[in-house]
């Protein structure tokens, strides 16, 4: 079975500061990794995904994440955040050769960007 | 192009009642997945349907059921509602059911059970 741990439930940060949202996973098989963003009263939007290849993955809105197999981590980073990045961010996994419809999500990290 | 659409957007039901939630996938998408998101938690997988067949089921009681129609739209049904069923129900569609078909989520149906 797989599980996802998002280490911080809330992350406050000032505008234009860098941010890192942490995600660790547990799995007995190889997995694909995802980050989704959820704005208030909306569904989830895919930020980026790691399927294979380069461990540094670039996504939309200036976000990137690095897959670290030895530490079973997939932390999300942005060098300079904007007020509009205020949202909840979810890390998710699904087993390779499984269906991508069946994602296992973490509990989410609320990013609050202050002016 | 229209995204994933869900109806209704909000719903209030009483304990013991039945509810039907509807989802229309993005045009051309053949797979639909349903998730339950309880306040303060991440989404939890309920079902996936592909080409009208169930492809996966999460750890939910038999009160939860779903189906997919020939036009690939889907319904999620919940019987004998409990207070704990109050949540945001998210539908997601994808081109296929395979590894490289990313999920596109709708804005959800907010169900409140009183």
């Amino acid at each position: 079975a797989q599980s996802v741990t998002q280490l911080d439930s809330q992350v406050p940060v000032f505008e234009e500061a860098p941010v890192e949202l942490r995600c660790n996973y547990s799995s007995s098989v190889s997995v694909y990794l995802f980050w989704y963003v959820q704005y208030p009263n909306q569904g989830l939007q895919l930020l980026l995904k790691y399927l294979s290849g380069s461990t540094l993955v670039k996504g939309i809105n200036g976000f990137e994440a690095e897959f670290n197999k030895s530490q079973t981590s997939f932390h999300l980073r942005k060098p300079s955040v904007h007020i509009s990045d205020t949202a909840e961010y979810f890390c998710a996994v699904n087993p390779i050769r499984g269906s991508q419809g069946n994602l296992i999500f973490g509990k989410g990290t609320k990013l609050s960007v202050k002016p | 192009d229209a995204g994933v659409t869900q109806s209704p957007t909000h719903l209030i039901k009483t304990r013991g009642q039945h509810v039907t939630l509807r989802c229309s996938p993005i045009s051309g998408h053949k797979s639909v997945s349903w998730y339950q998101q309880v306040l303060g938690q991440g989404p939890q997988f309920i079902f996936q349907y592909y080409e009208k067949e169930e492809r996966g089921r999460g750890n939910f009681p038999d009160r939860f059921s779903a189906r997919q129609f020939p036009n690939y739209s889907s319904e999620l049904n919940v019987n004998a509602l409990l207070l704990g069923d109050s949540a945001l129900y998210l539908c997601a569609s994808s081109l296929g059911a395979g590894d490289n078909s990313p999920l596109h989520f709708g804005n959800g149906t907010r169900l409140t059970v009183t």
Side-chain angles (χ1 to χ4, degrees):
Chain A
Q2 293 80 37
S3 66
V4 177
T5 302
Q6 291 185 242
L7 297 160
D8 306 295
S9 59
Q10 297 188 50
V11 173
V13 65
F14 287 105
E15 194 174 19
E16 297 184 6
V19 70
E20 178 180 81
L21 306 183
R22 297 180 293 169
C23 172
N24 286 89
Y25 68 93
S26 172
S27 177
S28 56
V29 299
S30 296
V31 295
Y32 295 132
L33 296 149
F34 307 84
W35 275 99
Y36 282 84
V37 59
Q38 187 176 34
Y39 298 102
N41 302 313
Q42 292 189 23
L44 281 75
Q45 180 182 5
L46 180 66
L47 274 178
L48 48 80
K49 61 182 177 181
Y50 173 77
L51 302 182
S52 65
S54 173
T55 56
L56 182 63
V57 181
K58 294 189 182 297
I60 62 171
N61 301 340
F63 284 94
E64 63 181 32
E66 185 153 20
F67 169 56
N68 188 320
K69 188 174 182 179
S70 62
Q71 296 186 4
T72 60
S73 68
F74 192 54
H75 300 332
L76 181 70
R77 302 185 182 101
K78 186 169 182 178
S80 175
V81 294
H82 302 289
I83 298 287
S84 60
D85 292 323
T86 295
E88 190 156 20
Y89 292 79
F90 292 94
C91 181
V93 304
N94 93 299
I96 291 176
R97 299 190 189 87
S99 167
Q100 204 173 111
N102 181 0
L103 292 176
I104 298 164
F105 286 88
K107 292 186 176 180
T109 297
K110 290 185 179 177
L111 176 64
S112 175
V113 182
K114 304 178 181 183
Chain B
D1 287 340
V4 177
T5 57
Q6 294 186 240
S7 63
T9 55
H10 294 82
L11 201 52
I12 299 175
K13 290 285 190 178
T14 304
R15 275 178 300 176
Q17 286 188 316
H18 160 270
V19 69
T20 297
L21 310 181
R22 296 178 174 83
C23 172
S24 292
I26 291 172
S27 178
H29 285 194
K30 298 182 178 180
S31 175
V32 169
S33 298
W34 287 95
Y35 287 80
Q36 180 195 64
Q37 186 179 16
V38 173
L39 197 62
Q41 302 290 320
Q44 190 172 358
F45 173 73
I46 311 175
F47 286 110
Q48 183 189 20
Y49 276 78
Y50 175 68
E51 289 281 14
K52 293 160 283 182
E53 291 190 1
E54 184 182 298
R55 279 299 189 96
R57 172 185 285 256
N59 188 23
F60 280 81
D62 292 343
R63 298 185 297 108
F64 289 76
S65 63
R67 55 180 175 169
Q68 187 177 33
F69 298 98
N71 66 354
Y72 303 109
S73 67
S74 177
E75 285 182 353
L76 175 69
N77 295 283
V78 187
N79 292 324
L81 284 167
L82 302 174
L83 294 179
D85 295 331
S86 295
L88 180 68
Y89 288 84
L90 295 165
C91 173
S93 74
S94 59
L95 277 170
D99 300 338
N100 291 319
S101 294
L103 294 183
H104 298 262
F105 283 84
N107 287 338
T109 293
R110 174 76 61 189
L111 172 64
T112 302
V113 182
T114 62

